[in-house]
Amino acid sequence: GAGVSQSPRYKVAKRGQDVALRCDPISGHVSLFWYQQALGQGPEFLTYFQNEAQLDKSGLPSDRFFAERPEGSVSTLKIQRTQQEDSAVYLCASSLFTSSVGTEAFFGQGTRLTVV
Amino acid sequence: AQKVTQAQTEISVVEKEDVTLDCVYETRDTTYYLFWYKQPPSGELVFLIRRNSFDEQNEISGRYSWNFQKSTSSFNFTITASQVVDSAVYFCALKGNFNKFYFGSGTKLNVKP
């Protein structure tokens, strides 16, 4: 597809369950970002990849959160032992360039995670 | 520290009214970029505009215009003759020396017919 694709669009998990969220970036985009958006808030940075290298994971809230991009394209965000405070929309974004801070990012529609 | 403040949580206007969305930012970086994104109910963030810290010229694109004032650390967004399709949440964002966005909390715009 032409845009960033995320799956599933909606996920309901029981507390304590592990979840995996998938992101298919725009083909050829080098940079990939994960953001967490709580209800009524702006997106908050989780982690950033340049190709397969995870260059910044400073936003991951705990060691239950893990992200990977093994072949430099598709990325997976995994949350282990989910808790209610993990409920949020998880947004993935990709951008073409690497070092240019001026490059805009293209966002997917997000995965809405609800932990019950 | 990087911070973006959008003080207006929600604005309601009647179609054809002009509306300005405020954005104030904080950064110690000398080179930075400011962005506006639109988030319709479908959820994806749609890129609207980018501005670098060295370019304070105002920009107009159709019904949209942006006013960047470095002296007041503001990057305001005006929609002229608003339309119902403009209803969405609008986010202002800042990117500094590190390749990540810092978003404000968003302003929800309701345009009523």
Side-chain angles (χ1 to χ4, degrees), chain B residues 50 70 91:
Chain B
R50 167 190 52 236
K70 213 168 175 179
F91 290 97

Side-chain angles (χ1 to χ4, degrees), chain B residues 27-98:
Chain B
T27 181
R28 293 181 181 173
D29 296 337
T30 53
T31 301
Y32 54 89
Y33 282 78
L34 296 163
F35 300 78
W36 276 95
Y37 279 85
K38 174 181 180 180
Q39 189 174 45
S42 55
E44 79 278 19
L45 286 161
V46 178
F47 167 74
L48 296 177
I49 191 171
R50 167 190 52 236
R51 217 64 188 142
N52 76 53
S53 50
F54 298 107
D55 182 2
E56 290 192 65
Q57 283 192 352
N58 292 334
E59 181 156 339
I60 298 175
S61 175
R63 295 184 297 106
Y64 296 169
S65 62
W66 290 269
N67 182 351
F68 175 29
Q69 292 195 341
K70 213 168 175 179
S71 60
T72 56
S73 298
S74 65
F75 184 44
N76 296 337
F77 173 30
T78 297
I79 301 175
T80 303
S82 59
Q83 300 176 1
V84 173
V85 293
D86 296 327
S87 296
V89 181
Y90 291 85
F91 290 97
C92 180
L94 167 71
K95 238 192 194 186
N97 288 334
F98 299 99

Side-chain angles (χ1 to χ4, degrees), chain A residues 69-80:
Chain A
R69 194 186 185 198
E71 297 178 359
S73 56
V74 171
S75 177
T76 304
L77 176 67
K78 297 179 180 178
I79 309 173
Q80 297 177 323

Side-chain angles (χ1 to χ4, degrees), chain A residues 26-56:
Chain A
I26 294 173
S27 179
H29 277 198
V30 173
S31 297
L32 185 143
F33 308 82
W34 284 98
Y35 282 80
Q36 181 190 58
Q37 186 176 18
L39 189 63
Q41 299 297 315
E44 295 207 356
F45 173 82
L46 292 176
T47 188
Y48 159 59
F49 289 86
Q50 182 177 309
N51 295 308
E52 69 278 2
Q54 188 174 20
L55 299 187
D56 188 341

